[in-house]
Amino acid sequence: MATLYTTLGAYSRDELGVVLPHEHIFTDLGPMEEENWKDAEAAPVTEQVAPMIERAKDAGITALVECTPEGVGRRVDIVQAVSEATEFPVVVATGVYQEPSIPDWVREASEDELYEWMVEELTEGVDETGVKAAWIKVSTDDDDLTGLSEDEAKILRAAARAGAETGAVIGSHTLHADVVHQQLDLIEDAGYTAEQFIWIHSQAEAVEDHEAVAERGAWIEYDWIGGDDQDDDRYVDLLQHMLELGYEDQLLLSQDRGWYDPSQPEGGDFKEYTYLVEEFLPKLREAGLDEATIEQLTRDNPFDVYAR
């Protein structure tokens, strides 16, 4: 039986409802060299984020996936504190962010060392928290259309090996479809499978690219719903198109919302987690999607992709 590892332990499918597959609780987007995340404390983060978690629970959300990897201030201990204070399960990741935010220790590490580190976090837990990472988060440079840097490729090869060892899915922040295909080629060459890859932020490219990546077996994630563009009609159209093509079991919906940023005064402006449930799902219903499909998109698919 598949298990979803969270900050509150392991969950089975029947213990969870709506799961948000791409959100954030704590992320440092300030200058990397300032390392504001290192000195952050759990109490002010919990004070800011806990009311937002409670709002999400009231809206029917039962868990979320925290997508912050190494390189942008990952603090699983703080995420765990928020989770325990709200009795709300959170899924965390191992892995590393993109150029130029790759930490020095990752650049200096060998592929074997990164593979061993990821496997340890997936099977034993992250640092001293005891929380097992459920998945592997990687990324590629937003401004580089040509492909992976040497370090990004090294990280992805290690991720593919760790995924093959543990069954963990790999999710990648990648804004360019051509680079996604390079990533899929690399993980297949390393012995893993496209079916265990999530194209994060796929909405940044055209629907024809979504089709091509889905045809290879990968997951397509639309995760800026409720974002600055507020273009809900486009997301409805994308979903209807991909559903008509039969990709209902490869689609994920989320918002990329939150989060407490220690580089900003009082953590910055926090965006609540409820837009998808309260605003977007009613639009899907108005467009004719039935409840079984909505449940698959918001409950079954997120569990299936992150559980192992």
Side-chain angles (χ1 to χ4, degrees):
M1 181 179 296
T3 296
L4 182 62
Y5 294 104
T6 81
T7 48
L8 299 183
Y11 282 75
S12 62
R13 180 191 300 274
D14 60 6
E15 292 178 294
L16 294 171
V18 173
V19 177
L20 299 177
H22 190 105
E23 309 296 334
H24 294 274
I25 287 175
F26 181 94
T27 303
D28 188 346
L29 296 181
M32 186 178 178
E33 63 274 10
E34 292 184 8
E35 296 185 324
N36 293 293
W37 56 275
K38 278 191 172 181
D39 295 327
E41 297 183 357
V45 181
T46 300
E47 182 179 0
Q48 170 85 335
V49 179
M52 309 304 175
I53 296 290
E54 296 298 340
R55 282 269 294 119
K57 291 166 64 176
D58 290 343
I61 298 163
T62 64
L64 65 77
V65 179
E66 220 290 351
C67 295
T68 305
E70 289 290 300
V72 276
R74 186 182 67 150
R75 285 288 301 271
V76 172
D77 58 327
I78 289 179
V79 172
Q80 181 182 33
V82 173
S83 168
E84 291 177 345
T86 55
E87 298 182 337
F88 183 81
V90 178
V91 177
V92 303
T94 187
V96 186
Y97 202 53
Q98 65 185 17
E99 300 285 6
S101 300
I102 297 171
D104 290 341
W105 72 266
V106 175
R107 297 192 190 279
E108 295 165 3
S110 68
E111 179 186 320
D112 286 346
E113 289 170 330
L114 291 175
Y115 153 76
E116 292 168 358
W117 165 68
M118 292 178 191
V119 169
E120 181 177 358
E121 295 204 333
L122 289 163
T123 59
E124 302 296 329
V126 178
D127 300 328
E128 304 301 318
T129 66
V131 175
K132 291 182 182 179
W135 65 296
I136 307 167
K137 171 73 178 290
V138 298
S139 184
T140 62
D141 188 342
D142 293 346
D143 299 322
D144 189 346
L145 280 69
T146 61
L148 307 173
S149 74
E150 182 176 338
D151 284 319
E152 288 171 346
K154 176 181 70 173
I155 292 163
L156 185 57
R157 285 193 300 270
R161 292 171 56 193
E165 173 88 9
T166 64
V169 73
I170 299 168
S172 182
H173 168 124
T174 306
L175 300 189
H176 308 294
D178 288 346
V179 180
V180 175
H181 287 288
Q182 293 177 38
Q183 291 179 288
L184 294 177
D185 291 344
L186 186 154
I187 67 171
E188 289 173 343
D189 289 345
Y192 210 28
T193 172
E195 294 177 356
Q196 286 292 88
F197 183 93
I198 305 168
W199 180 10
I200 293 170
H201 307 326
S202 58
Q203 65 275 346
E205 292 280 53
V207 69
E208 293 80 9
D209 296 311
H210 310 167
E211 294 175 30
V213 171
E215 180 64 23
R216 296 187 65 170
W219 291 78
I220 304 299
E221 183 176 274
Y222 302 134
D223 48 39
W224 291 338
I225 296 172
D228 292 338
D229 59 8
Q230 294 286 302
D231 192 2
D232 289 349
D233 290 343
R234 176 173 182 252
Y235 290 113
V236 171
D237 290 343
L238 287 172
L239 282 167
Q240 288 181 315
H241 179 78
M242 295 297 283
L243 290 169
E244 288 171 0
L245 294 178
Y247 294 121
E248 63 275 356
D249 58 354
Q250 292 171 245
L251 300 173
L252 297 168
L253 307 179
S254 211
Q255 307 159 127
D256 198 9
R257 283 188 165 216
W259 53 82
Y260 188 102
D261 183 344
S263 69
Q264 299 294 321
E266 298 182 348
D269 295 327
F270 198 99
K271 294 184 179 179
E272 295 192 22
Y273 301 117
T274 56
Y275 187 90
L276 179 76
V277 171
E278 294 180 342
E279 302 293 335
F280 186 70
L281 294 187
K283 295 178 182 180
L284 291 184
R285 294 183 178 100
E286 291 174 6
L289 268 69
D290 59 37
E291 290 303 319
T293 301
I294 289 174
E295 183 171 329
Q296 178 171 7
L297 294 173
T298 61
R299 177 182 180 268
D300 295 337
N301 285 1
F303 184 89
D304 288 342
V305 73
Y306 288 109
R308 52 188 171 93

